[in-house]
Amino acid sequence: MTMSLLRTVILVWVISFKLVFAFQDDLLKTCSQSGFCHRNRQYAKNIRESKKLHYLIDEDSLEFNTNTHNLRGYILKSVQANKKETKVSLPFTLDFIDGDKVRFRLDEDRSNSLDQPGINSRRYNCTETWAFGPDYTPLKQKATLKPPTVFNKKYTLIAGKFTVLLDPNNFRIEVQYNSKDVLTVNADNLLNFEHYRTIEENFENMNEEEEAFNMFKDSFADSKLDTIPFGPESVALDFKFHDISNLYGIPEHADSFKLRDTSKSDPYRLYNVDVFQYNLNSTMPMYGAVPLVIGIEDSMSIGLFWVNPADTWVDIRYEETGSSTHWMSESGIIDFIIIVHETPKLVTESYVNITGKPMLPLLPSIGYHQCRWNYNDEKDILSVDSLMDKWQIPYDFLWLDLEYTDQKRYFTWKPDAFPEPLRMLRKLYTTGRNLVTLIDPHIKTNYHISDSILSAGVAVKNAIQKPFFGQCWPGESLWIDTFSPLANKVWSKFVQTFVSYATNLYIWNDMNEPSIFDGPETTAPKDLIHHEGFEERAVHNLYGLTVHQATYDSYIDMNPNKRPFILTRAFFSGSQRTAATWTGDNLANWGYLQLSIPMILSQNIAGMPVAGADIAGFFGNPDDELLIRWYQAGMWYPFFRAHAHLDTKRREPYLFNEPTRSIVTQYIKLRYQLLPTFYTAFHDSHTRGVPIMNPMIYEHPRVPAFYDLDDQFYLGEQGILVKPVTTPGTDNVSVTFPAGIFYDLHTLKTAHVGLLETKIVPSPIHALPAYIEGGHIITKKEQYRRSSKLMQYDPYTLVIAPNVEGKATGRLYIDDGETFSYKEGQYLDIEMEYTRQALTGKVINKFESSDFNTVTIDKVIIAKYPGEQFGDSCTLQSNGAERDIKIVHDVHSHVVKNLGIKVGEDWKILL
Ligand SMILES: *[C@@H]1O[C@H](CO)[C@@H](O)[C@H](O)[C@H]1NC(C)=O
Ligand SMILES: *[C@@H]1O[C@H](CO)[C@@H](O)[C@H](O)[C@H]1NC(C)=O
Ligand SMILES: *[C@@H]1O[C@H](CO)[C@@H](O)[C@H](O)[C@H]1NC(C)=O
Ligand SMILES: *[C@@H]1O[C@H](CO)[C@@H](O)[C@H](O)[C@H]1NC(C)=O
């Protein structure tokens, strides 16, 4: 064998090894290969040494509007090169909004910059059109401005609890809240605004701390063709969080919940890309991006929302006196919103007040989803359907991946496999079940759908204004430009024609980063052109959102009162309003199970709660132990879906060996029993942005033990604490209990009483450590049914977990689960309260008239707790009548049955 042949063999072996087991790293740029990341990190290093100030506030330009309380002015950038000084004026605005936020924007006037027909020379400033909720109107807050004095050399803005200081001799914004320094903008002088210049003028436009690396060309192997029409245009800025050394957020990354210091690695990157078999413990970019960091310490939480959808890198540094974040975006404007609150939960709530509340999902969509690439034909689908029933495994959704289409042409069915889709959909509908089909934004060329897109002129264009063609699943494809209102109309027609004949057919928008097989970094070339002439470079991270939003809107146009279900892989701030998401192409191994939890926690605090991970790993074949552990963990994912790759063995749960089948079934059933509690949690998320998979630190922000803890969590505010087992061969795990009393979720046996404590608890293979925290009342429906729809009129069971004082409260939210009539007040909201003397149910809101009002609460289970006193009977008062009922004493609880309380009425049980 010659050397070169040997090398080829090794190379091929290495490549195929990589393809099977890990992400191919050389597909993506590192920071040092990415022009603007490289330049800004270098700039940061150099400016920290030179300590020179190149930006200052132009005092003469300051204008404070006493009606709108808005401060505007210019920041002057000075460039010293060739013994010459150039000044660039950059307009800024500063506003106080909603009582808890400061917003700052910095732009550049580029109207005369570049006269290239079809390309918009403006810096993209329309992110909010997509990212902010349609109902959001910022509430301007009153502010006063005091000019500098001999004693205070800074401009002082005061607005409510905020004091903001502006140094005229530098650009720096010091934010104080309740007179305490909380955040400083540009503390390390890393502001770098690469203003417009031509290649000829470049060197007169660079300060000595700057490097010229890849300003007008891209040397990365797969993006050498990037035309970079504006040259360098990145924006970068640093933020110092005072006295805060715990930062979270900026999903999506396969990494710990608490962000790591990145001084010795690449920064976290936000750039929506298709990363099949992504790396673990990595700052690499993934499918979605939410540019929100949350700092948490004791009684102060700060959110920083960087409103920019371009390729963005974020460096994190933990320092002695706090922490610092350095944001670098390839283009666009500087636009950020600082949110300050006493608790992190309020920061998330405030953030979703801007970007829109997470949708209240279609109730069946919070049940179990059975997916695989692929169910082959109608017979296959119907056989899975009936086998699930035969084995009494509840489920709500079946999924059809790519292969259901006629030769990968979306909006068509493969004729021989699905000759009568309606027949199949109707059959599923008889048990209230639904079907999801995959429809992606890449459209195969040469059929009626792509033809209509071309003739309407709404395909994404290339750098020379012609429709862009690239490779994806169908081979040569074009991409619909859903930034365009006309494209939305065109898309809406396709969607409506495809789904309108069935009421239980929904859509999964995959590959919408977009994924382009022959594109640089597996995605779109940055010089593609979208609606209004904006470059892909400027809007990249928003594209996926425009696609799933268009799909959602198509459903709403068709039927304004019915909640659609849409799954998206790519997401951005605001995606939570209309779609669920998941963590993409994971592997069937323990590492991916472990990291699915911090990943979903990060999405939950960043306002994107309806998230899940493919159970039990998309690639590869999980063994029985991993299957069991993954279902035990996965039943707590807000979005609960099993999925598997084409090359894997079939794994519908009824195929598992015993005892795997029984254990897995038991946990799917537990999810269904807890649906009323889950749905109430989804409602809290919808109204207040409360995380559904809820980090420990969100419920106990002052407990340092929880800052790093990301392998246990709560279900919303429902008081259920879960510690999934995510390592093999584990008979016991450690659980950190907060102070209080905790009962085993399954038996109600007391598991912990007293102060914060880490305990070893048994976790044999059939057991999932989960607890109810004293002080909560949870609701269940205990009867097995085939789907959630068939459970809707089943009776409720209340489980009372008293705290150490013998008290508990709970809430139950009920609506029809499928329409928007809850917005007109058609829902039940019930508050329950338990004391040693009585348990009461109070109806806060009820349906005008509905069968839901008369569903019953039949059973109450009260966990045994220290100091309690229980007789053998209690008295139920409801509907003006009184009746004595027996109390049955169980090992760890007291049980009252046959109550027959109507859920739409007030009631009281005297104990
Ligand atoms: C974006 O910039 C243009 C031009 O300066 C301006 O007219 C428009 O109002 C800006 N849009 C937003 C949302 O700020
Ligand atoms: C990821 O990091 C965690 C925590 O440091 C470690 O336990 C795990 O083994 C790491 N996983 C991989 C695949 O490196
Ligand atoms: C979110 O908006 C609602 C309604 O405007 C308001 O009542 C609530 O206080 C806001 N939340 C936060 C944390 O600012
Ligand atoms: C936990 O499990 C391990 C391994 O099975 C065992 O050696 C150890 O004694 C157990 N510890 C406790 C506290 O049960």
Side-chain angles (χ1 to χ4, degrees):
M1 202 185 284
T2 64
M3 233 9 236
S4 83
L5 183 58
L6 182 66
R7 261 182 47 200
T8 314
V9 168
I10 290 174
L11 203 70
V12 168
W13 180 80
V14 169
I15 288 171
S16 53
F17 180 87
K18 277 183 169 177
L19 283 178
V20 176
F21 294 108
F23 183 72
Q24 199 188 323
D25 289 317
D26 58 8
L27 285 176
L28 293 178
K29 290 176 181 174
T30 59
C31 175
S32 60
Q33 291 169 324
S34 153
F36 73 98
C37 188
H38 183 117
R39 298 197 298 273
N40 279 294
R41 260 196 162 181
Q42 195 60 43
Y43 183 74
K45 187 167 170 281
N46 295 344
I47 204 92
R48 279 190 169 110
E49 280 166 18
S50 82
K51 299 202 163 45
K52 282 212 186 128
L53 305 178
H54 297 304
Y55 296 84
L56 54 83
I57 291 172
D58 178 359
E59 284 186 78
D60 297 337
S61 73
L62 286 182
E63 244 178 78
F64 182 67
N65 185 321
T66 49
N67 292 320
T68 59
H69 306 283
N70 161 278
L71 179 70
R72 337 178 132 253
Y74 285 88
I75 287 175
L76 292 179
K77 172 180 182 182
S78 78
V79 183
Q80 277 116 5
N82 291 344
K83 299 186 180 143
K84 210 174 82 186
E85 187 176 20
T86 313
K87 290 222 188 283
V88 185
S89 294
L90 306 167
F92 79 86
T93 63
L94 189 151
D95 293 277
F96 294 92
I97 46 180
D98 306 336
D100 63 346
K101 304 180 188 85
V102 183
R103 182 174 188 187
F104 179 87
R105 274 173 288 188
L106 182 64
D107 200 349
E108 174 188 18
D109 180 3
R110 269 195 338 196
S111 45
N112 307 322
S113 303
L114 175 124
D115 194 19
Q116 200 159 326
I119 309 185
N120 198 324
S121 65
R122 207 168 87 203
R123 284 181 178 263
Y124 186 70
N125 67 349
C126 311
T127 309
E128 62 189 66
T129 317
W130 297 99
F132 293 10
D135 307 328
Y136 177 63
T137 25
L139 245 144
K140 294 262 180 184
Q141 196 185 346
K142 264 203 185 133
T144 53
L145 175 70
K146 289 190 209 154
T149 64
V150 253
F151 305 108
N152 177 3
K153 302 217 158 46
K154 293 168 183 166
Y155 286 87
T156 308
L157 280 153
I158 299 176
K161 292 178 177 171
F162 283 110
T163 304
V164 162
L165 303 174
L166 295 175
D167 186 343
N169 301 316
N170 181 11
F171 167 66
R172 182 163 291 167
I173 305 174
E174 291 166 43
V175 181
Q176 301 175 344
Y177 190 76
N178 284 333
S179 313
K180 189 180 172 302
D181 281 329
V182 290
L183 188 117
T184 302
V185 180
N186 203 30
D188 291 336
N189 297 312
L190 308 190
L191 172 62
N192 184 25
F193 200 109
E194 293 180 330
H195 64 279
Y196 180 74
R197 83 287 306 260
T198 61
I199 190 163
E200 293 78 22
E201 316 159 327
N202 192 29
F203 287 100
E204 305 142 41
N205 282 278
M206 284 172 61
N207 276 308
E208 63 183 14
E209 291 85 358
E210 292 182 71
E211 236 185 54
F213 179 69
N214 276 1
M215 279 183 153
F216 293 88
K217 65 169 173 90
D218 189 336
S219 57
F220 184 68
D222 298 333
S223 44
K224 287 200 168 115
L225 298 179
D226 188 351
T227 54
I228 317 187
F230 295 101
E233 51 173 342
S234 79
V235 291
L237 187 56
D238 72 278
F239 299 83
K240 166 127 182 150
F241 293 69
H242 296 279
D243 303 322
I244 288 185
S245 46
N246 307 286
L247 300 176
Y248 306 86
I250 47 171
E252 180 178 30
H253 296 102
D255 208 356
S256 55
F257 176 51
K258 180 172 162 179
L259 298 173
R260 282 192 283 134
D261 187 298
T262 56
S263 320
K264 296 198 171 63
S265 71
D266 262 6
Y268 286 100
R269 185 177 179 196
L270 296 171
Y271 189 55
N272 294 356
V273 280
D274 181 355
V275 283
F276 66 103
Q277 308 180 340
Y278 48 85
N279 297 332
L280 298 178
N281 294 346
S282 166
T283 57
M284 72 189 273
M286 291 189 63
Y287 311 93
V290 180
L292 170 74
V293 152
I294 300 177
I296 307 176
E297 195 86 49
D298 200 27
S299 59
M300 186 62 70
S301 292
I302 301 176
L304 172 64
F305 177 24
W306 176 262
V307 191
N308 187 318
D311 187 0
T312 296
W313 300 74
V314 190
D315 256 323
I316 306 288
R317 277 193 178 207
Y318 291 113
E319 296 159 349
E320 255 168 48
T321 53
S323 47
S324 150
T325 62
H326 179 204
W327 298 71
M328 304 162 256
S329 290
E330 185 170 15
S331 69
I333 62 169
I334 289 185
D335 182 354
F336 62 84
I337 300 176
I338 298 162
I339 307 169
V340 185
H341 275 285
E342 266 143 48
T343 68
K345 218 193 271 181
L346 287 172
V347 170
T348 295
E349 174 178 341
S350 188
Y351 166 80
V352 302
N353 273 0
I354 307 173
T355 55
K357 302 283 167 37
M359 63 178 165
L360 184 59
L362 189 69
L363 178 54
S365 76
I366 74 170
Y368 175 61
H369 298 252
Q370 184 64 46
C371 182
R372 132 163 228 108
W373 179 24
N374 212 76
Y375 291 123
N376 303 322
D377 50 26
E378 175 174 342
K379 198 166 143 249
D380 195 2
I381 281 279
L382 295 180
S383 129
V384 174
D385 180 61
S386 63
L387 286 166
M388 291 293 277
D389 291 346
K390 179 177 169 211
W391 290 97
Q392 301 211 343
I393 305 168
Y395 87 92
D396 272 89
F397 275 73
L398 275 180
W399 289 60
L400 285 174
D401 205 324
L402 190 56
E403 318 302 332
Y404 78 91
T405 55
D406 183 9
Q407 301 172 64
K408 305 188 170 61
R409 298 178 174 114
Y410 301 117
F411 305 104
T412 68
W413 296 87
K414 187 186 275 175
D416 47 340
F418 297 98
E420 276 190 62
L422 186 56
R423 175 175 65 194
M424 174 178 71
L425 285 156
R426 282 204 176 122
K427 174 68 183 48
L428 294 176
Y429 191 70
T430 56
T431 44
R433 283 172 180 150
N434 304 279
L435 186 73
V436 179
T437 49
L438 179 103
I439 293 184
D440 294 352
H442 58 259
I443 305 293
K444 188 176 169 112
T445 49
N446 294 319
Y447 80 111
H448 68 282
I449 299 283
S450 40
D451 293 346
S452 316
I453 291 173
L454 287 173
S455 64
V458 293
V460 176
K461 298 190 176 64
N462 62 20
I464 53 162
Q465 319 297 321
K466 297 279 181 313
F468 166 78
F469 297 100
Q471 293 291 318
C472 205
W473 296 126
E476 188 187 60
S477 307
L478 54 78
W479 276 259
I480 180 131
D481 183 14
T482 31
F483 280 95
S484 138
L486 179 59
N488 275 260
K489 277 202 189 122
V490 171
W491 189 253
S492 191
K493 217 181 270 165
F494 302 154
V495 170
Q496 291 177 5
T497 311
F498 187 68
V499 304
S500 64
Y501 59 90
T503 54
N504 54 341
L505 179 56
Y506 298 102
I507 290 178
W508 166 17
N509 291 144
D510 198 2
M511 310 290 280
N512 55 339
E513 296 74 26
S515 174
I516 302 182
F517 295 162
D518 57 344
E521 304 193 87
T522 73
T523 188
K526 283 176 169 169
D527 55 4
L528 297 191
I529 301 296
H530 290 273
H531 179 61
E532 291 186 318
F534 287 109
E535 273 198 287
E536 174 78 18
R537 189 184 327 275
V539 300
H540 176 83
N541 287 344
L542 271 175
Y543 177 71
L545 184 156
T546 67
V547 172
H548 72 73
Q549 176 97 38
T551 307
Y552 181 92
D553 291 345
S554 309
Y555 275 88
I556 295 290
D557 285 348
M558 189 168 62
N559 193 345
N561 197 31
K562 185 149 173 282
R563 296 179 221 169
F565 172 78
I566 313 291
L567 182 73
T568 180
R569 193 168 71 186
F571 56 87
F572 189 72
S573 300
S575 282
Q576 71 269 11
R577 301 188 303 264
T578 53
T581 189
W582 88 110
T583 61
D585 296 346
N586 58 3
L587 284 169
N589 76 35
W590 294 91
Y592 286 84
L593 166 59
Q594 256 159 47
L595 275 188
S596 71
I597 293 163
M599 288 179 78
I600 296 172
L601 287 173
S602 296
Q603 300 192 358
N604 269 261
I605 66 159
M608 189 71 205
V610 188
D614 283 347
I615 302 164
F618 179 60
F619 294 103
N621 294 308
D623 63 17
D624 282 49
E625 187 186 8
L626 182 58
L627 273 172
I628 292 173
R629 293 309 196 188
W630 211 317
Y631 271 93
Q632 287 172 341
M635 68 151 283
W636 303 99
Y637 297 160
F639 170 57
F640 179 28
R641 184 181 77 152
H643 189 30
H645 187 268
L646 201 62
D647 295 335
T648 60
K649 284 207 306 236
R650 290 288 286 242
R651 28 166 138 121
E652 291 66 54
Y654 49 79
L655 296 174
F656 302 158
N657 303 320
E658 285 300 347
T660 307
R661 176 172 47 218
S662 304
I663 299 174
V664 164
T665 304
Q666 175 198 340
Y667 286 94
I668 298 176
K669 283 182 169 164
L670 180 58
R671 169 81 172 216
Y672 276 84
Q673 288 172 4
L674 288 170
L675 279 186
T677 298
F678 267 93
Y679 197 54
T680 303
F682 277 86
H683 185 254
D684 288 336
S685 158
H686 173 61
T687 51
R688 290 184 288 120
V690 179
I692 296 166
M693 187 184 268
N694 194 7
M696 298 304 292
I697 197 65
Y698 261 51
E699 292 305 298
H700 305 279
R702 294 185 184 212
V703 180
F706 293 137
Y707 287 129
D708 289 300
L709 202 63
D710 60 8
D711 59 2
Q712 61 179 64
F713 53 84
Y714 283 103
L715 167 61
E717 293 176 343
Q718 303 300 309
I720 298 180
L721 172 66
V722 183
K723 168 70 188 243
V725 178
T726 57
T727 47
T730 308
D731 293 333
N732 46 49
V733 288
S734 73
V735 178
T736 303
F737 290 100
I741 177 164
F742 284 80
Y743 307 88
D744 185 284
L745 174 70
H746 314 283
T747 62
L748 293 184
K749 183 175 179 209
T750 305
H752 169 71
V753 195
L755 298 177
L756 176 96
E757 192 183 350
T758 300
K759 280 188 169 163
I760 305 291
V761 303
S763 59
I765 188 71
H766 60 273
L768 162 79
Y771 307 89
I772 316 181
E773 182 171 38
H776 292 270
I777 299 176
I778 64 167
T779 48
K780 292 169 97 168
K781 288 191 173 186
E782 294 184 300
Q783 161 114 47
Y784 156 74
R785 302 277 182 192
R786 286 165 290 177
S787 72
S788 66
K789 180 85 180 164
L790 300 178
M791 293 166 69
Q792 63 183 347
Y793 300 121
D794 281 352
Y796 291 92
T797 294
L798 308 182
V799 181
I800 321 290
N803 62 15
V804 283
E805 281 131 38
K807 291 183 181 153
T809 55
R811 187 174 153 253
L812 173 60
Y813 174 82
I814 302 166
D815 64 21
D816 63 24
E818 57 190 39
T819 74
F820 290 104
S821 54
Y822 67 88
K823 291 189 176 169
E824 270 77 61
Q826 296 305 307
Y827 63 89
L828 261 164
D829 193 358
I830 298 148
E831 277 179 11
M832 294 162 295
E833 187 178 3
Y834 173 84
T835 64
R836 289 202 163 119
Q837 291 75 40
L839 174 65
T840 49
K842 207 162 158 3
V843 177
I844 305 300
N845 190 70
K846 72 190 261 187
F847 290 91
E848 266 160 42
S849 91
S850 158
D851 291 343
F852 290 107
N853 284 331
T854 56
V855 176
T856 58
I857 298 171
D858 268 4
K859 190 164 149 194
V860 169
I861 305 172
I862 303 167
K864 287 190 173 168
Y865 59 99
E868 61 170 21
Q869 290 164 327
F870 264 89
D872 290 330
S873 77
C874 58
T875 308
L876 169 67
Q877 298 177 335
S878 80
N879 213 1
E882 244 184 52
R883 157 165 94 87
D884 284 348
I885 308 179
K886 205 170 106 194
I887 300 179
V888 177
H889 305 290
D890 223 331
V891 191
H892 301 299
S893 61
H894 309 285
V895 182
V896 189
K897 284 190 197 161
N898 304 320
L899 285 161
I901 296 168
K902 289 196 178 69
V903 78
E905 289 167 9
D906 290 348
W907 50 272
K908 188 169 200 163
I909 298 172
L910 301 172
L911 294 160

